[in-house]
């Protein structure tokens, strides 16, 4: 059951460049999307979210873009910093099966930012 | 900044034993959750809790699992008779006043069942 897919297990970028992390979803009932960052042995840390009524949300170096027709979202990090190196999870929620509480996660993408 | 805390950080137990994982959600939050992540796999939803009752539970959350909010601050997950396959990181999360708000996660409890 892969309702949220992150097809790139890893991504490597140079410090100062843009990092683009991608996420696809299959369930059209999802209407709220979040990105979390996770370091080893820690819990997911919330980064940024977007509601389906928007197509872009920006917070400092982080921007999330949502393309509802393609069921695709992406996280842009500009400029990338070595401290951004972590696993990034895409998550979604919505009125799925009568519930809008639970988050459905992708498998994550390991971002490595090289100095 | 308010944060979700969890204890213990690590727990090792024998198969068949009961474990209780503890969480202190963010103080003004009303929705509470447990998720788990088996090594190398996705973070999976277990259960959500609101107004002192379970709102939703996944297929994983069978009769061996239970949740409780014994007082105004703690939120616990009990596994009555642990199995080897319960070994995972268990994350508690909480969110605020509306059902579809950002969920904030604790640091997790690493459970190892031997």
């Amino acid at each position: 059951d892969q309702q949220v897919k992150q097809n790139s297990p890893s991504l490597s970028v140079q410090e100062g460049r843009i990092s683009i992390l991608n996420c696809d979803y299959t369930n059209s009932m999802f209407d709220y999307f979040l990105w979390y960052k996770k370091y080893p042995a820690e819990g997911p840390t919330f980064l940024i979210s977007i509601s389906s009524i928007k197509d872009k949300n920006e917070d400092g170096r982080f921007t999330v873009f949502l393309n509802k027709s393609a069921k695709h979202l992406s996280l842009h990090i500009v400029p990338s910093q070595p401290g951004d190196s972590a696993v990034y999870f895409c998550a979604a929620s919505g009125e799925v099966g009568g519930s809008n509480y639970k988050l459905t996660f992708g498998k994550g993408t390991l971002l490595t930012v090289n100095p | 900044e308010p944060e979700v805390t969890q204890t213990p950080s690590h727990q090792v137990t024998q198969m068949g034993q009961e474990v209780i994982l503890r969480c202190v959600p963010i103080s003004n939050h009303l929705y509470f959750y447990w998720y788990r992540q088996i090594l190398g796999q996705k973070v999976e939803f277990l259960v959500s809790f609101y107004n002192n009752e379970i709102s939703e539970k996944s297929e994983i959350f069978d009769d061996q699992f239970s949740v409780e909010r014994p007082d105004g601050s703690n939120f616990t997950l009990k596994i009555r008779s642990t199995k080897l396959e319960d070994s995972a990181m268990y994350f508690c999360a909480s969110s605020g006043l509306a059902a579809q708000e950002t969920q904030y996660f604790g640091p997790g409890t690493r459970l190892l069942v031997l």
Side-chain angles (χ1 to χ4, degrees):
Chain A
D1 174 18
Q2 282 209 71
Q3 296 191 70
V4 177
K5 300 181 218 180
Q6 293 177 258
N7 290 321
S8 298
S10 63
L11 174 69
S12 184
V13 299
Q14 285 299 120
E15 181 178 5
R17 298 289 191 96
I18 183 171
S19 295
I20 300 176
L21 298 115
N22 293 303
C23 177
D24 298 292
Y25 61 97
T26 56
N27 196 321
S28 57
M29 298 303 289
F30 287 142
D31 59 6
Y32 188 58
F33 304 90
L34 308 92
W35 284 94
Y36 288 86
K37 178 168 79 171
K38 187 179 179 303
Y39 295 115
E42 293 187 13
T45 300
F46 170 71
L47 273 178
I48 192 168
S49 62
I50 189 166
S51 164
S52 61
I53 62 173
K54 295 186 173 182
D55 54 19
K56 178 182 172 181
N57 189 24
E58 197 169 349
D59 183 2
R61 296 186 297 117
F62 302 94
T63 304
V64 56
F65 295 92
L66 175 62
N67 182 334
K68 287 189 292 294
S69 60
K71 294 193 181 69
H72 176 84
L73 61 154
S74 60
L75 174 67
H76 293 211
I77 307 174
V78 181
S80 302
Q81 299 171 354
D84 295 330
S85 297
V87 177
Y88 288 77
F89 290 100
C90 171
S93 71
E95 283 281 348
V96 179
S99 161
N100 60 0
Y101 302 120
K102 72 177 188 183
L103 293 178
T104 300
F105 281 83
K107 285 188 174 181
T109 297
L110 173 62
L111 174 66
T112 303
V113 180
N114 301 303
Chain B
E1 186 175 320
E3 58 182 18
V4 178
T5 59
Q6 290 185 242
T7 54
S9 57
H10 295 80
Q11 173 108 34
V12 181
T13 190
Q14 295 290 325
M15 191 170 57
Q17 294 296 303
E18 174 184 288
V19 295
I20 298 176
L21 310 183
R22 291 182 168 81
C23 168
V24 179
I26 293 172
S27 63
N28 62 346
H29 282 184
L30 300 179
Y31 292 84
F32 314 113
Y33 311 85
W34 285 100
Y35 292 81
R36 78 173 185 190
Q37 186 181 28
I38 294 171
L39 189 63
Q41 297 188 22
K42 289 185 181 187
V43 177
E44 302 173 285
F45 168 80
L46 290 178
V47 66
S48 60
F49 191 85
Y50 169 72
N51 201 24
N52 281 320
E53 60 183 25
I54 290 174
S55 310
E56 187 188 0
K57 57 185 181 180
S58 72
E59 293 170 354
I60 304 166
F61 194 89
D62 61 21
D63 292 343
Q64 297 299 317
F65 292 86
S66 62
V67 288
E68 194 177 34
R69 188 154 162 83
D71 53 43
S73 59
N74 289 285
F75 179 51
T76 62
L77 174 69
K78 182 192 290 186
I79 310 175
R80 193 169 64 213
S81 177
T82 49
K83 308 185 195 75
L84 296 176
E85 54 265 36
D86 293 329
S87 295
M89 281 289 287
Y90 288 80
F91 297 108
C92 173
S94 69
S95 63
L97 300 177
Q100 200 173 49
E101 283 196 9
T102 299
Q103 295 181 25
Y104 294 90
F105 284 75
T109 293
R110 180 171 296 283
L111 176 65
L112 179 60
V113 182
L114 301 176

